[in-house]
Amino acid sequence: MIASRAGRRGAEDVRRGGGRDRAVQWGCGARAARLAGRGASGGVGAVCAEEVEAEVPMDVGGGHSARTGPTGRARRAGRAGRAGRAGRAGRRTLTPRGRRWTARLAIVAAVAAVGLFVFVAGLRGVGFVVVTLVVGTAVTGAALWWALTRRGAVRALAAVLAVAAPVAVIWLQIASGLLGPLVVCLVLGALAAGAGWSALAAESGPKPQHATATPRPARPFLIMNPRSGGGKAGRFGLREKAEAAGATVALLDPQRRTDVAALARRAVADGADLLGVAGGDGTQALVAAVAAEHGIPFLVVPAGTRNHFAMDLGLDREDPSAALDALADGVELTVDLGLVGTRVFVNNASFGAYAAVVQSDAYRDDKLRTTLDLFPDVLTHRVGPRLTVRAGAMTIDAPQAVLVSNNPYRVGDPGAPGRRDRLDTGVLGLLSISVDSAAQAAALLGGDRSRGLTVLTTHEVVVDADAPEVHVGLDGEALTLPVPVRCTIRPGALRVRVPRHRPGVPRARPRLEWRKLVMLALAR
């Protein structure tokens, strides 16, 4: 507590002492002027670093930013409150007694749903509902495949059929008089599923990644793309807030192409002890590679469009400026980096259909139209190479789409698609889709047990083809590489500095294993 108060008093002295004239203007390679008062800033960081033990849980901690004024403190308090509530919601579990009663509720609701429907509809009615649902799903899947792989009138008819099939299923339930009981049973089923997930939540997913307390950086250097995310850097005042927190900011010139990796290396040569990026995931990967190369921490400011890396670090994507709190009150995570050859990726590398689409110049301006124009040829192998993917003992021939990720994505959790629970497991995720007919496309709607879907983890993926080169989408950036393309992972390669208070990564929804629920319900 004494150290904490001393840290706050020291930060207050630096704020009131002046000596921080930040009138530094950056172009796309200009050298920064030296900033006054850096030694004092580093001293405050050293004091603040003593407030915490060496290991700090991901969503737990305290501390204060070097920002001035009651408005800044109120804003930080609000962020801390939101982050704390989000973290508690992600970690909340029931007591053992509560889990047992919740499991009993799940079983009772499930039995009631099935029993009620059988009682009202009879066995013939149940069979009718099952058949219509299966047929409707199959027709919808086949129609979607035709809509993606055909053009003109056939595509239009397939799109109509994809919409008409579910509507027809609902109309048949109404005509048979079973819609009302079916809705009641679906509500009971939703109650059973929710109670079951709550009862099994304590066993779901890996534990949250832990963070380490480290001294505050003395010479942070941030690269900001003013066009990224539709101009988030300007809307959220990121440059001004970063400079107020003691960082040197390089604002990229939208009219010129800049080698951001070279810019980051020049900053390290000038003494930067932290590199950061306010931009998209592609730019994040380029600068993260430099930070990992020099063993200094990396700061992610989610100022891009999707910000998947920031999401899986547990950052606040709604307010990019919240990430800048890490400059004064941050902790470090150690995460893995993916490699395609020697190129780093923080999220994923894609091959096949998506990689071919992002190569098009028109994709940036009209993503949907470009995708629909190219998919008929790409998905049916009329254009582009036929891929062969090897991962360990498994070989996948001619997949339409391949995704290699830096740590595996969640599968089977519709509540949080595209999320990774951790970024430090030391393995790649591999997801591939192979579809050659409408029937196989319909089977894909069956979920992760479909034969056309391959999901696994591995340490190395090799992508080969019947052509000398393949297109690659590397964190959304378009590349063309010679085959074979070797994907690997570097465990613990990157130190990432994050705010102590942040939303965190919500836990994955557990699978509903009824045998476990029954055993839990019967326990005393």
Side-chain angles (χ1 to χ4, degrees):
M1 179 64 72
I2 295 174
S4 177
R5 291 172 180 167
R8 288 195 286 272
R9 284 198 298 269
E12 203 59 39
D13 292 339
V14 170
R15 288 198 294 268
R16 293 171 180 170
R20 284 186 178 268
D21 184 5
R22 300 287 179 198
V24 179
Q25 302 294 325
W26 270 85
C28 288
R31 187 176 298 270
R34 297 302 184 198
L35 304 176
R38 290 195 187 275
S41 174
V44 175
V47 172
C48 293
E50 296 174 3
E51 297 175 26
V52 208
E53 298 294 332
E55 284 287 315
V56 184
M58 183 173 183
D59 297 304
V60 180
H64 295 268
S65 165
R67 296 183 186 178
T68 59
T71 302
R73 286 193 293 270
R75 187 184 298 113
R76 278 185 41 76
R79 287 176 189 157
R82 291 196 303 272
R85 288 192 294 273
R88 288 192 296 273
R91 297 191 307 272
R92 187 182 296 130
T93 56
L94 299 170
T95 63
R97 185 166 181 264
R99 291 181 64 206
R100 290 194 296 271
W101 279 105
T102 306
R104 291 163 188 164
L105 173 62
I107 292 170
V108 169
V111 171
V114 175
L116 174 64
F117 194 67
V118 171
F119 176 77
V120 173
L123 294 178
R124 292 183 62 182
V126 172
F128 173 77
V129 170
V130 171
V131 169
T132 54
L133 289 176
V134 170
V135 172
T137 301
V139 171
T140 302
L144 289 173
W145 172 254
W146 292 324
L148 291 174
T149 58
R150 301 292 189 271
R151 293 186 174 93
V154 175
R155 169 176 281 175
L157 290 173
V160 171
L161 182 59
V163 175
V167 172
V169 170
I170 296 173
W171 181 83
L172 287 171
Q173 309 310 319
I174 295 173
S176 65
L178 295 176
L179 184 63
L182 184 60
V183 169
V184 173
C185 293
L186 288 175
V187 171
L188 287 172
L191 174 62
W197 284 324
S198 296
L200 297 174
E203 303 174 7
S204 68
K207 294 180 179 180
Q209 187 174 347
H210 280 67
T212 304
T214 56
R216 173 179 174 174
R219 303 173 70 89
F221 180 87
L222 271 63
I223 298 172
M224 295 189 179
N225 184 350
R227 297 181 61 181
S228 186
K232 286 183 180 178
R235 289 203 310 274
F236 288 90
L238 298 183
R239 179 182 181 178
E240 294 77 11
K241 292 175 182 177
E243 289 177 341
T248 301
V249 176
L251 196 66
L252 300 182
D253 184 349
Q255 305 302 319
R256 296 172 53 190
R257 185 175 182 85
T258 305
D259 185 342
V260 293
L263 181 60
R265 288 192 179 91
R266 193 155 52 243
V268 175
D270 288 344
D273 59 355
L274 175 142
L275 294 175
V277 171
D281 287 331
T283 308
Q284 301 278 1
L286 292 171
V287 181
V290 179
E293 175 187 339
H294 292 276
I296 62 176
F298 180 63
L299 177 69
V300 177
V301 182
T305 303
R306 297 180 182 87
N307 305 301
H308 287 168
F309 190 39
M311 175 178 70
D312 294 331
L313 288 169
L315 301 181
D316 185 351
R317 294 191 296 169
E318 296 181 3
D319 181 7
S321 66
L324 297 173
D325 292 341
L327 292 172
D329 184 24
V331 291
E332 281 190 14
L333 306 174
T334 301
V335 305
D336 308 332
L337 289 176
L339 292 172
V340 170
T342 59
R343 290 286 300 265
V344 163
F345 63 91
V346 294
N347 293 326
N348 56 64
S350 59
F351 304 82
Y354 175 73
V357 168
V358 297
Q359 298 288 326
S360 172
D361 294 335
Y363 179 73
R364 301 296 178 188
D365 298 325
D366 194 339
K367 291 179 173 60
L368 179 60
R369 181 182 293 276
T370 305
T371 301
L372 292 176
D373 286 345
L374 295 178
F375 262 16
D377 294 327
V378 173
L379 293 178
T380 57
H381 297 296
R382 288 195 291 268
V383 298
R386 294 177 69 90
L387 303 178
T388 301
V389 180
R390 294 189 297 275
M394 176 171 286
T395 300
I396 307 168
D397 291 318
Q400 274 91 348
V402 177
L403 188 75
V404 180
S405 58
N406 173 24
N407 286 264
Y409 286 104
R410 292 180 188 174
V411 177
D413 184 2
R419 277 192 179 273
R420 293 166 288 180
D421 290 307
R422 296 183 68 126
L423 296 172
D424 64 342
T425 63
V427 294
L428 297 169
L430 173 63
L431 188 150
S432 78
I433 296 175
S434 301
V435 180
D436 293 319
S437 66
Q440 291 181 358
L444 274 180
L445 295 182
D448 57 347
R449 292 182 176 85
S450 169
R451 294 179 60 184
L453 180 65
T454 301
V455 181
L456 55 85
T457 58
T458 184
H459 292 93
E460 181 181 79
V461 176
V462 178
V463 180
D464 211 335
D466 60 356
E469 295 179 328
V470 292
H471 296 315
V472 185
L474 199 66
D475 285 332
E477 303 297 323
L479 299 175
T480 301
L481 299 176
V483 295
V485 179
R486 183 169 173 261
C487 305
T488 55
I489 192 162
R490 288 177 55 195
L494 181 65
R495 297 162 54 194
V496 182
R497 189 169 178 87
V498 296
R500 189 186 315 277
H501 300 293
R502 59 200 181 282
V505 179
R507 274 190 164 183
R509 183 178 292 171
R511 287 185 178 274
L512 280 178
E513 299 185 48
W514 292 101
R515 183 182 62 82
K516 283 187 178 181
L517 282 172
V518 171
M519 297 297 293
L520 183 60
L522 295 177
R524 293 189 177 183

